[in-house]
PDB file of all heavy atoms in Angstrom:
ATOM      1  N   VAL X 409      78.004 173.007   2.249  1.00 98.00           N
ATOM      2  CA  VAL X 409      76.628 172.666   2.599  1.00 98.00           C
ATOM      3  C   VAL X 409      76.653 171.664   3.754  1.00 98.00           C
ATOM      4  O   VAL X 409      77.404 170.688   3.730  1.00 98.00           O
ATOM      5  CB  VAL X 409      75.878 172.059   1.395  1.00 98.00           C
ATOM      6  CG1 VAL X 409      74.506 171.547   1.817  1.00 98.00           C
ATOM      7  CG2 VAL X 409      75.752 173.091   0.277  1.00 98.00           C
ATOM      8  N   THR X 410      75.847 171.925   4.771  1.00 98.00           N
ATOM      9  CA  THR X 410      75.697 170.988   5.883  1.00 98.00           C
ATOM     10  C   THR X 410      74.444 170.163   5.663  1.00 98.00           C
ATOM     11  O   THR X 410      73.354 170.720   5.482  1.00 98.00           O
ATOM     12  CB  THR X 410      75.613 171.727   7.227  1.00 98.00           C
ATOM     13  OG1 THR X 410      76.821 172.476   7.437  1.00 98.00           O
ATOM     14  CG2 THR X 410      75.430 170.746   8.377  1.00 98.00           C
ATOM     15  N   LEU X 411      74.558 168.849   5.679  1.00 98.00           N
ATOM     16  CA  LEU X 411      73.431 167.972   5.389  1.00 98.00           C
ATOM     17  C   LEU X 411      73.509 166.727   6.265  1.00 98.00           C
ATOM     18  O   LEU X 411      74.337 165.850   6.051  1.00 98.00           O
ATOM     19  CB  LEU X 411      73.439 167.577   3.901  1.00 98.00           C
ATOM     20  CG  LEU X 411      72.331 166.633   3.432  1.00 98.00           C
ATOM     21  CD1 LEU X 411      70.949 167.244   3.644  1.00 98.00           C
ATOM     22  CD2 LEU X 411      72.535 166.263   1.965  1.00 98.00           C
ATOM     23  N   ASP X 412      72.646 166.677   7.276  1.00 98.00           N
ATOM     24  CA  ASP X 412      72.548 165.495   8.134  1.00 98.00           C
ATOM     25  C   ASP X 412      71.453 164.571   7.622  1.00 98.00           C
ATOM     26  O   ASP X 412      70.482 165.023   7.000  1.00 98.00           O
ATOM     27  CB  ASP X 412      72.228 165.897   9.585  1.00 98.00           C
ATOM     28  CG  ASP X 412      73.355 166.676  10.238  1.00 98.00           C
ATOM     29  OD1 ASP X 412      74.513 166.496   9.799  1.00 98.00           O
ATOM     30  OD2 ASP X 412      73.082 167.452  11.170  1.00 98.00           O
ATOM     31  N   PHE X 413      71.585 163.294   7.902  1.00 98.00           N
ATOM     32  CA  PHE X 413      70.580 162.298   7.527  1.00 98.00           C
ATOM     33  C   PHE X 413      70.118 161.530   8.757  1.00 98.00           C
ATOM     34  O   PHE X 413      70.921 161.211   9.639  1.00 98.00           O
ATOM     35  CB  PHE X 413      71.150 161.288   6.522  1.00 98.00           C
ATOM     36  CG  PHE X 413      71.339 161.826   5.131  1.00 98.00           C
ATOM     37  CD1 PHE X 413      72.562 162.330   4.733  1.00 98.00           C
ATOM     38  CD2 PHE X 413      70.285 161.805   4.222  1.00 98.00           C
ATOM     39  CE1 PHE X 413      72.746 162.816   3.442  1.00 98.00           C
ATOM     40  CE2 PHE X 413      70.450 162.291   2.933  1.00 98.00           C
ATOM     41  CZ  PHE X 413      71.685 162.796   2.540  1.00 98.00           C
ATOM     42  N   VAL X 414      68.809 161.260   8.801  1.00 98.00           N
ATOM     43  CA  VAL X 414      68.255 160.343   9.792  1.00 98.00           C
ATOM     44  C   VAL X 414      67.617 159.195   9.020  1.00 98.00           C
ATOM     45  O   VAL X 414      66.659 159.401   8.274  1.00 98.00           O
ATOM     46  CB  VAL X 414      67.203 161.037  10.694  1.00 98.00           C
ATOM     47  CG1 VAL X 414      66.599 160.032  11.674  1.00 98.00           C
ATOM     48  CG2 VAL X 414      67.837 162.200  11.456  1.00 98.00           C
ATOM     49  N   LEU X 415      68.150 158.003   9.171  1.00 98.00           N
ATOM     50  CA  LEU X 415      67.680 156.844   8.414  1.00 98.00           C
ATOM     51  C   LEU X 415      66.721 156.006   9.247  1.00 98.00           C
ATOM     52  O   LEU X 415      66.972 155.736  10.431  1.00 98.00           O
ATOM     53  CB  LEU X 415      68.864 155.980   7.971  1.00 98.00           C
ATOM     54  CG  LEU X 415      69.932 156.661   7.113  1.00 98.00           C
ATOM     55  CD1 LEU X 415      70.956 155.625   6.640  1.00 98.00           C
ATOM     56  CD2 LEU X 415      69.306 157.388   5.913  1.00 98.00           C
ATOM     57  N   GLU X 416      65.622 155.604   8.613  1.00 97.00           N
ATOM     58  CA  GLU X 416      64.618 154.791   9.290  1.00 97.00           C
ATOM     59  C   GLU X 416      64.886 153.304   9.052  1.00 97.00           C
ATOM     60  O   GLU X 416      65.327 152.905   7.969  1.00 97.00           O
ATOM     61  CB  GLU X 416      63.221 155.138   8.774  1.00 97.00           C
ATOM     62  CG  GLU X 416      62.799 156.579   9.035  1.00 97.00           C
ATOM     63  CD  GLU X 416      61.421 156.877   8.476  1.00 97.00           C
ATOM     64  OE1 GLU X 416      60.788 155.931   7.935  1.00 97.00           O
ATOM     65  OE2 GLU X 416      60.998 158.030   8.563  1.00 97.00           O
ATOM     66  N   PRO X 417      64.598 152.459  10.042  1.00 96.00           N
ATOM     67  CA  PRO X 417      64.761 151.016   9.844  1.00 96.00           C
ATOM     68  C   PRO X 417      63.870 150.510   8.723  1.00 96.00           C
ATOM     69  O   PRO X 417      62.733 150.958   8.569  1.00 96.00           O
ATOM     70  CB  PRO X 417      64.331 150.426  11.191  1.00 96.00           C
ATOM     71  CG  PRO X 417      64.482 151.543  12.157  1.00 96.00           C
ATOM     72  CD  PRO X 417      64.167 152.801  11.400  1.00 96.00           C
ATOM     73  N   ASP X 418      64.389 149.557   7.949  1.00 92.00           N
ATOM     74  CA  ASP X 418      63.608 148.942   6.870  1.00 92.00           C
ATOM     75  C   ASP X 418      62.978 147.668   7.427  1.00 92.00           C
ATOM     76  O   ASP X 418      63.616 146.618   7.514  1.00 92.00           O
ATOM     77  CB  ASP X 418      64.527 148.624   5.693  1.00 92.00           C
ATOM     78  CG  ASP X 418      63.752 148.179   4.457  1.00 92.00           C
ATOM     79  OD1 ASP X 418      62.531 147.941   4.596  1.00 92.00           O
ATOM     80  OD2 ASP X 418      64.363 148.073   3.382  1.00 92.00           O
ATOM     81  N   ILE X 419      61.716 147.773   7.830  1.00 87.00           N
ATOM     82  CA  ILE X 419      61.045 146.638   8.482  1.00 87.00           C
ATOM     83  C   ILE X 419      60.750 145.512   7.513  1.00 87.00           C
ATOM     84  O   ILE X 419      60.346 144.420   7.924  1.00 87.00           O
ATOM     85  CB  ILE X 419      59.734 147.098   9.148  1.00 87.00           C
ATOM     86  CG1 ILE X 419      58.788 147.716   8.110  1.00 87.00           C
ATOM     87  CG2 ILE X 419      60.019 148.088  10.262  1.00 87.00           C
ATOM     88  CD1 ILE X 419      57.439 148.093   8.678  1.00 87.00           C
ATOM     89  N   THR X 420      60.936 145.754   6.205  1.00 82.00           N
ATOM     90  CA  THR X 420      60.713 144.681   5.231  1.00 82.00           C
ATOM     91  C   THR X 420      61.852 143.672   5.234  1.00 82.00           C
ATOM     92  O   THR X 420      61.716 142.586   4.680  1.00 82.00           O
ATOM     93  CB  THR X 420      60.568 145.270   3.811  1.00 82.00           C
ATOM     94  OG1 THR X 420      61.787 145.914   3.429  1.00 82.00           O
ATOM     95  CG2 THR X 420      59.429 146.275   3.766  1.00 82.00           C
ATOM     96  N   GLN X 421      62.956 144.019   5.859  1.00 67.00           N
ATOM     97  CA  GLN X 421      64.074 143.086   5.925  1.00 67.00           C
ATOM     98  C   GLN X 421      63.924 142.207   7.158  1.00 67.00           C
ATOM     99  O   GLN X 421      63.946 142.685   8.286  1.00 67.00           O
ATOM    100  CB  GLN X 421      65.405 143.839   5.979  1.00 67.00           C
ATOM    101  CG  GLN X 421      65.673 144.629   4.707  1.00 67.00           C
ATOM    102  CD  GLN X 421      67.088 145.180   4.673  1.00 67.00           C
ATOM    103  OE1 GLN X 421      67.951 144.730   5.413  1.00 67.00           O
ATOM    104  NE2 GLN X 421      67.320 146.147   3.793  1.00 67.00           N
ATOM    105  N   ALA X 422      63.774 140.919   6.925  1.00 50.00           N
ATOM    106  CA  ALA X 422      63.482 139.981   8.008  1.00 50.00           C
ATOM    107  C   ALA X 422      64.764 139.508   8.680  1.00 50.00           C
ATOM    108  O   ALA X 422      65.104 138.336   8.689  1.00 50.00           O
ATOM    109  CB  ALA X 422      62.698 138.788   7.463  1.00 50.00           C
ATOM    110  N   ASP X 423      65.510 140.412   9.241  1.00 53.00           N
ATOM    111  CA  ASP X 423      66.672 140.002  10.029  1.00 53.00           C
ATOM    112  C   ASP X 423      66.691 140.805  11.319  1.00 53.00           C
ATOM    113  O   ASP X 423      65.868 141.687  11.535  1.00 53.00           O
ATOM    114  CB  ASP X 423      67.981 140.213   9.246  1.00 53.00           C
ATOM    115  CG  ASP X 423      68.151 141.644   8.753  1.00 53.00           C
ATOM    116  OD1 ASP X 423      67.667 142.551   9.439  1.00 53.00           O
ATOM    117  OD2 ASP X 423      68.776 141.835   7.692  1.00 53.00           O
ATOM    118  N   SER X 424      67.568 140.456  12.173  1.00 48.00           N
ATOM    119  CA  SER X 424      67.619 141.087  13.494  1.00 48.00           C
ATOM    120  C   SER X 424      68.709 142.137  13.568  1.00 48.00           C
ATOM    121  O   SER X 424      69.241 142.409  14.635  1.00 48.00           O
ATOM    122  CB  SER X 424      67.880 140.010  14.557  1.00 48.00           C
ATOM    123  OG  SER X 424      69.077 139.312  14.249  1.00 48.00           O
ATOM    124  N   PHE X 425      69.022 142.729  12.414  1.00 51.00           N
ATOM    125  CA  PHE X 425      70.147 143.657  12.346  1.00 51.00           C
ATOM    126  C   PHE X 425      69.946 144.865  13.259  1.00 51.00           C
ATOM    127  O   PHE X 425      70.821 145.253  14.003  1.00 51.00           O
ATOM    128  CB  PHE X 425      70.324 144.121  10.898  1.00 51.00           C
ATOM    129  CG  PHE X 425      71.394 145.160  10.725  1.00 51.00           C
ATOM    130  CD1 PHE X 425      72.720 144.788  10.678  1.00 51.00           C
ATOM    131  CD2 PHE X 425      71.071 146.512  10.616  1.00 51.00           C
ATOM    132  CE1 PHE X 425      73.717 145.734  10.518  1.00 51.00           C
ATOM    133  CE2 PHE X 425      72.061 147.448  10.463  1.00 51.00           C
ATOM    134  CZ  PHE X 425      73.387 147.057  10.410  1.00 51.00           C
TER     135      PHE X 425
END
Side-chain angles (χ1 to χ4, degrees):
V409 173
T410 299
L411 179 61
D412 294 335
F413 287 95
V414 177
L415 302 186
E416 298 179 3
D418 189 350
I419 59 176
T420 63
Q421 295 190 17
D423 55 31
S424 57
F425 176 80

